Amino acid sequence: MKNWITIALILASANTLALSVDEIVSKANQAAYYSGADGIADVSMIITDASGGERSRAFRILRKNTGDETQKFYVYFKEPADVRRQVFMVWKEVEQGKDDSRWLFLPALNLVKPIAPGDKRTSFVGSDFVYEDVSGRALWEDTHELIEETDTHYIVKNTPNNPDAVDFSEYTVSIDKQTFLPMKAEYLDKNGKLFRRVEATRVETVQGYPTVIESRVDDLARGGHTINTFSNINYDTGLNERLFTERFLRRPPREATR
Amino acid sequence: MKHRLKKIGLIVLISPILFAADLEPSGFLDARYGIRTQSDPNSDQETLNELRLQLGSIWYHDLFTATVRSDFIYDSVNNLSDPIDLREFNILCSPLDWMDLKLGRQILTWGTGDLLFINDLFSKDWKSFFAGRDEEYLKAPSDALFISFFPTLGNIDIAYLPRFAPDRLIDGERFSYWNGTALSGTPLRTDEPNSDEIAARISRNFQGLELSAYGYSGHWKTPQGFDPASGKNTFPKLNVYGTSARRALLGGIANLEAGYYDSSDGVSDQVRLLVGYEHEIAQDLAGAAQYYTEQKCGDEESRHVLTLRLTQMLMNQNLTLCLFTYWSPSDQDGYLRPSATYKLSDHWKLETRGNIFFGKDNDTFFGQFQDNNNLSISARYSF
């Protein structure tokens, strides 16, 4: 019996060791962006520029997993006052050759405006986060290489397959072996110099899902950083997919406003 | 005056209730000054000198959402203008799972054009647009019943406006216009029809291709006729049938819209068409171009307009530089709208805008406003 358990343990650890880099990044991607069937969270964002000036943003984000890695996001702005009640919606695609669909709702004009797919490395609402940090980067866009494995972390180097489309030459991600959450990503510019760092600074388990409660981005080239704090996190709330349509851009659902 | 008092009374009565119940009180205080860059024999030098307080609140109840949003204006250019501009005062509910109903004063918008409108016949405020008020003021509010149905075949929207409302026109107040024989600053006299308006849209998204069909029955929103007996400009009857398509294309957004203007009372029918494309040129620099044409039936010549929008965001998106241009090769006239907006903080926003018209002749669409070129500056505190 004891032998049997030992064999099982050896097999299990052998299995862990045998995780390929593709399996690691796939699990990390799932842990970072796909927990539960859906999720709701309030986000408070503090943007600090190089000279110490501060701006803040507050929004609620609704997310629903809709299919084979496709997702829908609904971002309802609460602060600052000049963007209050604006809604940003994304239908995320991961398949190569397919672009995300994005819309903006401007309440003062009662206008739903599609936004050009555009550059996902553009700043999200003036912060140091880019759109891709919010909704995720498709795995096929990079070549992944497991460069180090510590007791607690996998260190994966990612090289973009289309370097002209991005502002970095490579980035290295530390992935927690327990939770598979990416804990730190460091981006090198085209000259190989570290210019950007994204970190998960606080993690808690919510409804059984390891969840980033606070994250931070540092713009090391220009100075300045942004801190995101997540609260009122709920998973598996049974969000209806029809909330992610033009109808509910024009009349935000209670899931967004309450 | 009586009407105005009634309006003030209504707001005074309603506002505290909504503020107490809620919820999401918000608004801004906006100071704006604008001046002509040349003189106009028909108008004053100042185009804007106003202080505007907007207060709004939303009440999210289980059964309905009530919205009130109103501007209170001190206007030193025109002391006679209405000190209250009620922007929204409506109630929204879903009597059925597949139906929404919004009743009251509201902003109505549809169509695919960028500052060009074919099937959107809801009232515009050209005076605010030309004066350099915030772009949201181009949309004048409508008193309407707006019903939306969401069956599986698509979305159906119907707007019923019990009382016809024309655009807020360039009528000699603040800005001069071509009166048929000369440039004029005398008040434009109009005879508004006492009738209703109805507009409908059916739209559906086919795998990212957004297709819509539109219909409108009402009157021209700007005067197209003249009654020699009364000496007033008139708004002849108008029906519009149109369609639009919009989709992502080659990393940008492409749109196409057309409308047939079926007019009566001696005004020719028209076909209007626009095609547009928007694309990011570089990071934080967006470009958009449109071609628009209107062809009077039975007329050889048609009007062509090209528009270009460039938007550059700088300084962590706190500074926005924008240039929107209209240029008509057929009328040989145009209109430039440069602006710079700086978000000083989460509350304070500073802005400067220009409105520059040019044209070979005084009687063309933009050419008639050549004496109205103006620059404006503003400071807004949002809360």
Side-chain angles (χ1 to χ4, degrees), chain A residues 47 49-50 54-57 76 79-85 91 99-103 107-128 131 167 222 242 246-248 250-252 254 257-258, chain B residues 24-27 56 58 60-62 65 69 88 92-94 96-100 102 107-111 135-136 139 150 155 201 205 210 246 248 251-253 278-280 283-284 316-318 342-347 349 382-383:
Chain A
I47 306 162
D49 65 27
E54 275 193 7
R55 316 242 171 187
S56 60
R57 309 274 180 268
Y76 179 80
E79 296 290 341
D82 67 329
V83 297
R84 191 172 295 150
R85 291 193 280 276
W91 290 5
D99 280 322
D100 294 352
S101 299
R102 310 192 289 179
W103 294 265
L109 286 162
N110 189 16
L111 176 70
V112 173
K113 196 176 138 51
I115 307 173
D119 188 346
K120 292 185 194 171
R121 305 297 303 170
T122 298
S123 159
F124 179 67
V125 296
S127 73
D128 298 297
Y131 281 94
D167 55 345
R222 290 189 301 171
R242 73 177 190 156
E246 176 168 344
R247 177 186 188 182
F248 291 95
R250 289 183 190 272
R251 48 155 310 181
R254 65 169 63 192
T257 58
R258 288 274 163 88
Chain B
E24 288 194 29
S26 60
I58 296 196
Y60 297 105
H61 187 271
D62 282 344
T65 303
R69 189 160 64 91
E88 283 188 88
L92 167 77
C93 59
S94 300
L96 297 166
D97 198 39
W98 43 272
M99 175 183 175
D100 288 345
K102 196 173 189 180
I107 305 289
L108 295 172
T109 307
W110 63 37
E135 215 155 81
E136 73 166 87
K139 285 306 233 171
F150 305 95
N155 295 357
R201 174 180 70 161
N205 196 317
E210 180 199 306
R246 182 159 60 186
I253 304 269
E278 181 190 339
H279 200 283
E280 200 170 58
Q283 201 168 67
D284 286 325
N316 295 332
Q317 300 181 0
N318 289 315
Y342 181 62
K343 291 182 178 179
L344 195 60
S345 71
D346 285 337
H347 293 290
K349 188 157 85 178
S382 301
F383 54 86

Side-chain angles (χ1 to χ4, degrees), chain A residues 15-222:
Chain A
N15 191 33
T16 314
L17 286 174
L19 268 187
S20 74
V21 68
D22 285 342
E23 285 169 315
I24 294 166
V25 293
S26 170
K27 276 174 169 255
N29 189 40
Q30 288 293 325
Y33 293 101
Y34 292 88
S35 295
D38 62 60
I40 302 179
D42 283 328
V43 184
S44 150
M45 189 181 252
I46 306 287
I47 306 162
T48 308
D49 65 27
S51 53
E54 275 193 7
R55 316 242 171 187
S56 60
R57 309 274 180 268
F59 51 90
R60 177 168 295 179
I61 188 159
L62 315 182
R63 163 184 61 83
K64 187 171 177 70
N65 301 348
T66 49
D68 191 19
E69 296 203 346
T70 60
Q71 293 181 309
K72 291 181 179 174
F73 293 86
Y74 185 108
V75 181
Y76 179 80
F77 285 91
K78 300 182 173 185
E79 296 290 341
D82 67 329
V83 297
R84 191 172 295 150
R85 291 193 280 276
Q86 283 190 10
V87 185
F88 173 66
M89 183 168 78
V90 183
W91 290 5
K92 171 179 155 184
E93 299 287 351
V94 283
E95 209 178 294
Q96 203 158 351
K98 271 193 179 175
D99 280 322
D100 294 352
S101 299
R102 310 192 289 179
W103 294 265
L104 190 65
F105 172 64
L106 303 170
L109 286 162
N110 189 16
L111 176 70
V112 173
K113 196 176 138 51
I115 307 173
D119 188 346
K120 292 185 194 171
R121 305 297 303 170
T122 298
S123 159
F124 179 67
V125 296
S127 73
D128 298 297
F129 284 95
V130 296
Y131 281 94
E132 225 167 48
D133 296 323
V134 180
S135 60
R137 179 171 167 82
L139 297 177
W140 58 261
E141 292 190 81
D142 301 311
T143 300
H144 314 282
E145 190 188 335
L146 181 62
I147 53 170
E148 197 189 336
E149 190 178 339
T150 68
D151 289 346
T152 53
H153 290 84
Y154 297 108
I155 316 293
V156 176
K157 184 175 123 179
N158 310 272
T159 314
N161 294 327
N162 179 9
D164 293 338
V166 291
D167 55 345
F168 54 83
S169 60
E170 62 170 75
Y171 65 105
T172 306
V173 182
S174 308
I175 296 163
D176 187 303
K177 280 181 156 179
Q178 292 291 317
T179 64
F180 279 94
L181 280 176
M183 299 304 289
K184 186 162 81 174
E186 291 186 314
Y187 294 77
L188 305 188
D189 67 15
K190 306 282 176 186
N191 301 318
K193 188 164 177 268
L194 178 66
F195 78 105
R196 184 169 190 266
R197 183 188 298 126
V198 184
E199 285 169 287
T201 42
R202 262 172 62 208
V203 173
E204 282 174 19
T205 301
V206 180
Q207 292 171 246
Y209 300 107
T211 302
V212 177
I213 299 293
E214 188 186 87
S215 58
R216 176 185 171 120
V217 189
D218 282 273
D219 181 337
L220 303 165
R222 290 189 301 171

Side-chain angles (χ1 to χ4, degrees), chain B residues 4 75 77-83:
Chain B
R4 190 185 289 178
D75 181 349
V77 172
N78 180 2
N79 304 322
L80 297 174
S81 68
D82 203 330

